Amino acid sequence: MPLRTLTDPHVLPALDPAYIRPRPGEGLGPVEPAPRILLLYGSLRERSFSRLAVEEAARLLHLFGAETRIFDPSTLPLPDQVAGDDHPAVHELRELSMWSEGQVWCSPERHGQITGIMKAQIDHLPLEMRGMRPTQGRTLAVMQVSGGSQSFNAVNTLRLLGRWMRMFTIPNQSSVAMAYKEFDEAGRMKPSGYYDRIVDVMEELVRFTVLMRPHAVQLVDRYSERKQAGVPVDAATDLSSIAVARAR
């Protein structure tokens, strides 16, 4: 299965526990069962900084009470390379997206944009699949790593793609400049403002995911889709109709 195994999930050497809220979503909505978060990264290098950043994010999400899965894109074919997208890695990616309530996308910036590896993963996620929508209504956090000075080209593109995929992209984001300086030999992120921002982003992702849980279905309930499916609104059970009637 194309999943990364997260090493040392409970070891967070760059984190100061004195300032951590272990359950940032408490009071905003139901925190159980654990929020389900899928993480995608955009590089196949052996020492991939986007993967290392995603792994740090996953450890933080574990701390904040979430369940995580990291997709490994190393066996993923190009879009349209396999007839009918009938490939185990494609099936796995789509199933993981269906499983998720929220996602984290992290891409290196290459030539001022996200990488082809990152885009290929998103391109394999259809807006609609057998009556189901693998991305619609999920929360999304976007991150990027750069080899040079700080930039926001990749996260801006990821935001655009998240909107296109009908996801709720959280306000905060992470951009790690000169990423090769930010990780030690073991691949762990050093204490820094860049690391602190990733903590902020993961806290916020958990909060928004929990906040939206009770409303996720209603927020993506669309007139055009009800009409296409031939499902009329039952005024006796529709909450919005009941609220309007009471207001009158």
Side-chain angles (χ1 to χ4, degrees), residues 72-158:
D72 182 347
S74 59
T75 62
L76 190 70
L78 292 172
D80 303 320
Q81 182 178 354
V82 177
D85 293 328
D86 189 13
H87 188 280
V90 176
H91 298 320
E92 179 74 7
L93 174 60
R94 292 175 177 178
E95 289 168 8
L96 288 169
S97 191
M98 288 298 304
W99 164 85
S100 72
E101 296 177 89
Q103 299 189 17
V104 177
W105 296 351
C106 181
S107 178
E109 181 172 321
R110 181 169 294 171
H111 299 315
Q113 263 301 341
I114 65 172
T115 61
I117 297 295
M118 190 76 235
K119 186 61 162 58
Q121 293 174 84
I122 299 169
D123 285 347
H124 274 300
L125 296 174
L127 283 174
E128 190 273 338
M129 179 179 67
R130 298 189 301 275
M132 299 178 289
R133 297 191 178 275
T135 57
Q136 178 171 284
R138 274 74 174 174
T139 52
L140 173 65
V142 295
M143 302 166 52
Q144 76 168 73
V145 294
S146 304
S149 58
Q150 191 174 42
S151 170
F152 301 97
N153 291 324
V155 287
N156 287 340
T157 294
L158 292 174

Side-chain angles (χ1 to χ4, degrees), residues 216-227:
V217 174
Q218 186 177 2
L219 287 171
V220 295
D221 180 27
R222 289 186 172 86
Y223 161 79
S224 60
E225 294 177 6
R226 294 192 300 273
K227 183 179 178 182

Side-chain angles (χ1 to χ4, degrees), residues 58-71:
R59 294 183 184 100
L60 290 163
L61 289 166
H62 276 287
L63 176 65
F64 297 147
E67 180 183 356
T68 66
R69 295 183 184 177
I70 303 173
F71 180 75

Side-chain angles (χ1 to χ4, degrees), residues 10-73:
H10 306 296
V11 179
L12 298 161
L15 191 70
D16 188 336
Y19 302 99
I20 285 298
R21 299 186 189 276
R23 293 293 181 270
E26 279 190 346
L28 295 173
V31 296
E32 297 294 342
R36 302 181 302 276
I37 309 297
L38 170 65
L39 300 97
L40 307 180
Y41 60 92
S43 169
L44 300 182
R45 290 180 178 178
E46 182 176 353
R47 185 171 168 83
S48 162
F49 294 113
S50 62
R51 174 177 58 80
L52 294 178
V54 151
E55 290 175 350
E56 293 294 352
R59 294 183 184 100
L60 290 163
L61 289 166
H62 276 287
L63 176 65
F64 297 147
E67 180 183 356
T68 66
R69 295 183 184 177
I70 303 173
F71 180 75
D72 182 347

Side-chain angles (χ1 to χ4, degrees), residues 205-221:
L205 178 63
V206 169
R207 287 191 176 112
F208 273 88
T209 304
V210 169
L211 179 66
M212 290 180 57
R213 263 183 161 173
H215 315 290
V217 174
Q218 186 177 2
L219 287 171
V220 295
D221 180 27

